[in-house]
Amino acid sequence: MTLDKEMIKSPQMWQLLMEPVASSLHVMAFSPFEHHALISGDIPLDATMPALSAFQEAVYSNSLLTSDFRSVTVLLPQERFLVIPSEGELSEDAALEAFSKAFPAPNPEGTGGQLLTEHLQGLHCSVAMEVDKEFLNFLRRTFNNPRITHTLAPQALYFNTGNRLRTRGKMFVNLHDSRADVVVLGQGAPLLLNSYKVRDPRDALYYVMAARTAFSIDDTEEIIIAGEPEARTAVSGLLRRHVRYVMPAIVPSAMFKAGRAALRTPFELIVAPLV
């Protein structure tokens, strides 16, 4: 698909959200002030090009992305990330010390990385992730003050907001083509916040059940499942053999006015503007 500037008349009233994954760039643009004002889709990323070049090509080939949006959010599914207990914003030195202990070896990609840290309000932790410096510079140069966050962060924040009364053992799973995002809430802080590579629905089943066993989660505690319909159906069927309540994630009421387009949009993009 091609996204042109002409698709939106007043971008100052719209928000842009993007998530680059292995083979495509997930995009969502929406206006909270209008009904049925949501545009979403996937822009292919050229696998023959370096990751940064492929991302730049996708941005420059879709003029809508460089419009003057009210806000821009970029979700990054970085593999080199760390959840660090904290009661507030971590200092750069504290984050770097913790990250260096978890990842003592340099990035095998061989690129220069910069550490970004975000405190997750209400979850008593921060997420630190390593981002390629050139990629980060391009984002900040091209977009106006973009929010750059790990893709797990808005999912954890949103899931926690909806489960304030009793959080221990609450589990959320977001399924993608080759990735499963898993959030397990504890009492005040997450027990688990991680992404797993999956090639088959049984891979997702393994990681989910391993987490439930590790944290002694009873089979009566429900699992909320979001993600791509085919993967969600397959994994839900497997999980129901072991867990009594496997429930589909519901599009947040705040996004109802966006219409049916919201149902076709990755869940992490849908909830990111709400947290």
Side-chain angles (χ1 to χ4, degrees), residues 1-18 25-31 34 37-43 55-73 138 142-144:
M1 66 178 300
T2 301
L3 301 175
D4 298 319
K5 283 183 180 290
E6 291 73 21
M7 298 175 73
I8 295 178
K9 293 181 179 179
S10 302
Q12 299 86 355
M13 306 294 286
W14 288 61
Q15 301 179 35
L16 173 67
L17 297 100
M18 297 178 288
L25 176 62
H26 298 322
V27 175
M28 181 184 88
F30 92 106
S31 171
E34 305 174 41
L38 187 149
I39 299 169
S40 68
D42 291 345
I43 300 171
F55 182 82
Q56 290 173 327
E57 177 67 21
V59 170
Y60 291 141
S61 298
N62 293 269
S63 59
L64 177 67
L65 303 185
T66 55
S67 297
D68 185 21
F69 285 98
R70 183 169 180 240
S71 67
V72 175
T73 299
F138 174 75
T142 306
F143 304 102
N144 182 26

Side-chain angles (χ1 to χ4, degrees), residues 125-139:
C125 67
S126 296
V127 175
M129 66 174 176
E130 188 177 64
V131 182
D132 177 75
K133 287 183 180 179
E134 291 187 12
F135 180 69
L136 192 58
N137 288 338
F138 174 75
L139 292 178

Side-chain angles (χ1 to χ4, degrees), residues 184-261:
V184 181
L185 297 179
Q187 200 62 47
L191 296 174
L192 178 67
L193 188 56
N194 207 355
S195 294
Y196 300 96
K197 292 183 179 179
V198 296
R199 295 174 296 177
D200 182 274
R202 289 169 295 185
D203 293 338
L205 172 68
Y206 169 80
Y207 289 120
V208 169
M209 295 309 300
R212 294 180 75 84
T213 299
F215 298 118
S216 301
I217 300 175
D218 193 85
D219 65 358
T220 59
E221 290 287 358
E222 69 179 10
I223 302 177
I224 304 298
I225 302 283
E228 297 171 3
E230 185 175 338
R232 190 173 65 229
T233 299
V235 174
S236 295
L238 294 173
L239 284 172
R240 287 193 176 100
R241 301 175 186 176
H242 308 276
V243 182
R244 295 189 191 183
Y245 305 108
V246 181
M247 310 297 291
I250 306 299
V251 173
S253 58
M255 298 298 289
F256 282 173
K257 65 169 59 178
R260 297 189 62 83

Side-chain angles (χ1 to χ4, degrees), residues 17-27 43 45 51 54-55 58 73-78 135 139 149 151 179 268-269:
L17 297 100
M18 297 178 288
E19 181 187 23
V21 294
S23 59
S24 64
L25 176 62
H26 298 322
V27 175
I43 300 171
L45 295 176
F55 182 82
T73 299
V74 183
L75 307 184
L76 299 178
Q78 306 297 88
F135 180 69
L139 292 178
T149 183
T151 190
R179 189 182 92 226
E268 63 273 21
L269 295 184

